[in-house]
Amino acid sequence: MKAIKNLLVPQFIDALAKDMHLLAPVKKGNNVYFKTWQSGMELEWRRNSFLPPKDLFFPQMDLLYKYSILGQNGEIQELTQSEGPRAIVGIRNCDLKSITLLDKVFLSEGFEDPAYRHRRDNTVLIAYNCSKPQPACFCTSLGINPQGGEGADLVLFELEQEDLGKEEKFSGPGPDYGIEARTPKGEEILKKQRDYVHDTHKKAVPFQQCPLSFGTDGILEKLQEMFEHSLWDDLSKRCLRCGICTYVCPTCHCFDIQGKNAGEEGFKYRCWDSCMFSDYTLMAGGHDPRPTRMERFRNRFLHKLWFYKERYGEFLCTGCGRCLSKCPVHLDISYVAGKIKEAVVDVR
Ligand code: SF4
Ligand code: SF4
C-alpha cells in the first residue's frame, strides 16, 4: 500500500494545485468550506463542510448563456464550456455519494445537462474515507460505506499510528494517510506525485459506528399509504419555511431559470430554488399546485424517501447530517423518518 506522511500532505496538495484548479475543504472561522486551494490554507476533512460540494457541479448561480439580437438574427454564446481541468480533494463518502445521486438527475434517462456534464468530465475526485463519524452522521443507514470511495479517482484514509505512548500521540503531527488510485486518472496523479508517497505496511483506521441510525425498510411502501395522513399537518406547523434544509442538503437540486434582457442583448442564468418556498410552484397564471406549507413540507420528504427511489432505485439522502444540525426547529430527515415509522396508518 502507498502512503503519504502527515507533514507532506500540504506539499502534496500544493503540487497537485500546480497542475490544475484544486479545491479543498478548508477552515474559515468555525466552519469548513470547499475553496480554491492556496498554499498555507488550513485543511479540514475530518468534519463535514458547512455547504456540500454540490455547488461545484451545480452552482448556486450559474450563467448559462448570453445572447444578442441583430434584426432577424440572433447569436448565442455558451458560458460554461471554457472551464479547465480541476480536482476536488477531501470529499467524504456521503458527499461523494451525493454526486452520483445528482448524476442520475442531470445525466440519465436520455437527458444530459451540458454544464453539469462539462464539470463532471473535467473534475478529478479525491475522496477522504472517514474513520470517525460526527454526532449527526447516519450514512450507513442509507447503505453508504464511509470507507468505500465509490466513484472517486483517488482515496485517502487515515493509517493506524504506531504506539508512541499517549503524550507523543497527542502532541505529534497526526496520522499518516494511505492513498489508493481507483481509476486511470488517479493512477496518473499518483505516478506524477511519486516523490510524496512511500510504501507502508500500516493498516487503515477502521470506521467507528455511526451514532445515529434509522431503518429504511418498508418506508416507501408505508409512505404510499400516508399521503393524506395527519402527520404532515402536525409536523409542518413547526416549519419556518426558511429553506435552509434544502440549501445545505447535498442532494436537493430544485432550481429556477431566470433571464435578464437589456434591449438587444441579455443572458439566462440558473439559480438554486427550494421546494419549501411558497412561490416555488406558483405559475405565471396564478395557479399553485402546492399552495400550503403542509403540501410543500410533505413533498420534500416524499421526494427523498419515495419519488426519487421509485424513479432511480435509491433514497435521495446520504445521511450527511447537515439538516440535523441546521434546521432551526429540528425537523430533519432522521426525526421525520422516525415519526413516519411510529405513525399509525389511519387515512383520513
Ligand atoms: S436530507 Fe439531510 S441528512 Fe439527508 S442528504 Fe440532505 S442534508 Fe444530508
Ligand atoms: S430547515 Fe426546518 S424550518 Fe427551515 S424549511 Fe427546512 S424543515 Fe422548515
Side-chain angles (χ1 to χ4, degrees):
M1 191 200 295
K2 299 283 180 204
I4 307 184
K5 288 237 169 279
N6 183 290
L7 292 173
L8 286 181
V9 171
Q11 290 174 42
F12 169 73
I13 295 175
D14 283 350
L16 291 179
K18 282 186 187 145
D19 289 341
M20 57 186 112
H21 179 194
L22 195 109
L23 296 127
V26 294
K27 263 195 198 164
K28 197 175 167 215
N30 290 329
N31 285 309
V32 176
Y33 296 90
F34 279 88
K35 295 271 177 207
T36 295
W37 176 258
Q38 283 167 356
S39 199
M41 279 178 151
E42 197 177 344
L43 195 65
E44 175 56 287
W45 50 31
R46 292 194 200 186
R47 61 190 168 112
N48 266 349
S49 54
F50 186 88
L51 291 171
K54 80 173 168 187
D55 73 314
L56 303 178
F57 298 96
F58 166 50
Q60 187 161 2
M61 170 92 133
D62 199 9
L63 280 177
L64 299 175
Y65 60 87
K66 285 183 184 170
Y67 62 85
S68 50
I69 304 161
L70 258 183
Q72 294 293 311
N73 299 316
E75 200 174 284
I76 287 182
Q77 188 195 344
E78 300 274 353
L79 293 170
T80 50
Q81 305 303 317
S82 55
E83 293 171 7
R86 59 186 191 162
I88 308 173
V89 70
I91 301 191
R92 295 155 71 91
N93 278 265
C94 51
D95 287 343
L96 200 55
K97 178 68 185 179
S98 74
I99 297 169
T100 67
L101 295 174
L102 292 178
D103 284 352
K104 293 186 181 192
V105 176
F106 289 106
L107 301 177
S108 79
E109 309 230 347
F111 299 99
E112 279 223 348
D113 181 275
Y116 185 91
R117 162 59 73 200
H118 181 74
R119 294 189 176 104
R120 278 294 270 131
D121 288 349
N122 276 282
T123 308
V124 173
L125 296 174
I126 305 178
Y128 171 77
N129 285 353
C130 305
S131 43
K132 196 171 175 201
Q134 295 179 279
C137 291
F138 56 100
C139 62
T140 48
S141 291
L142 279 305
I144 294 166
N145 175 358
Q147 299 193 324
E150 277 167 45
D153 296 290
L154 269 173
V155 290
L156 286 154
F157 43 91
E158 278 183 32
L159 293 174
E160 280 177 343
Q161 285 181 277
E162 275 149 23
D163 194 8
L164 302 169
K166 247 186 192 169
E167 290 210 349
E168 276 182 83
K169 224 178 215 176
F170 286 102
S171 61
D176 293 343
Y177 290 91
I179 184 162
E180 224 173 74
R182 293 287 174 84
T183 63
K185 272 190 203 171
E187 272 164 24
E188 209 180 295
I189 289 177
L190 208 48
K191 213 164 133 192
K192 193 157 183 203
Q193 306 302 340
R194 58 184 167 273
D195 290 351
Y196 297 97
V197 299
H198 62 275
D199 291 317
T200 186
H201 295 296
K202 285 184 188 172
K203 289 188 187 141
V205 175
F207 183 71
Q208 294 169 14
Q209 219 181 345
C210 277
L212 297 177
S213 68
F214 74 77
T216 51
D217 280 358
I219 200 164
L220 187 156
E221 293 72 16
K222 187 159 185 190
L223 281 171
Q224 288 174 333
E225 301 298 321
M226 288 180 63
F227 194 76
E228 301 290 348
H229 200 283
S230 55
L231 177 76
W232 303 116
D233 255 338
D234 298 344
L235 291 180
S236 64
K237 276 183 195 142
R238 263 163 55 197
C239 174
L240 305 174
R241 295 160 284 178
C242 64
I244 190 74
C245 51
T246 56
Y247 275 56
V248 299
C249 177
T251 64
C252 280
H253 52 268
C254 292
F255 63 82
D256 194 7
I257 292 184
Q258 296 275 348
K260 290 278 175 219
N261 183 290
E264 303 283 274
E265 52 186 31
F267 59 86
K268 287 268 186 194
Y269 64 95
R270 172 164 61 191
C271 54
W272 290 359
D273 206 338
S274 169
C275 60
M276 299 301 241
F277 293 159
S278 55
D279 60 356
Y280 176 69
T281 46
L282 183 63
M283 296 179 188
H287 175 64
D288 190 341
R290 264 184 246 133
T292 66
R293 171 168 41 177
M294 182 281 280
E295 288 163 294
R296 294 189 289 275
F297 180 87
R298 177 179 64 189
N299 180 71
R300 178 162 191 264
F301 293 100
L302 294 189
H303 186 203
K304 296 214 164 281
L305 301 170
W306 170 3
F307 307 148
Y308 185 95
K309 182 154 171 68
E310 200 169 64
R311 189 172 169 88
Y312 297 114
E314 297 185 88
F315 293 111
L316 189 61
C317 173
T318 65
C320 73
R322 287 184 179 92
C323 60
L324 277 75
S325 43
K326 303 294 182 306
C327 174
V329 291
H330 307 294
L331 282 172
D332 57 78
I333 196 164
S334 152
Y335 175 79
V336 173
K339 292 289 173 194
I340 293 166
K341 225 172 159 184
E342 284 169 17
V344 176
V345 178
D346 59 344
V347 179
R348 283 185 282 183

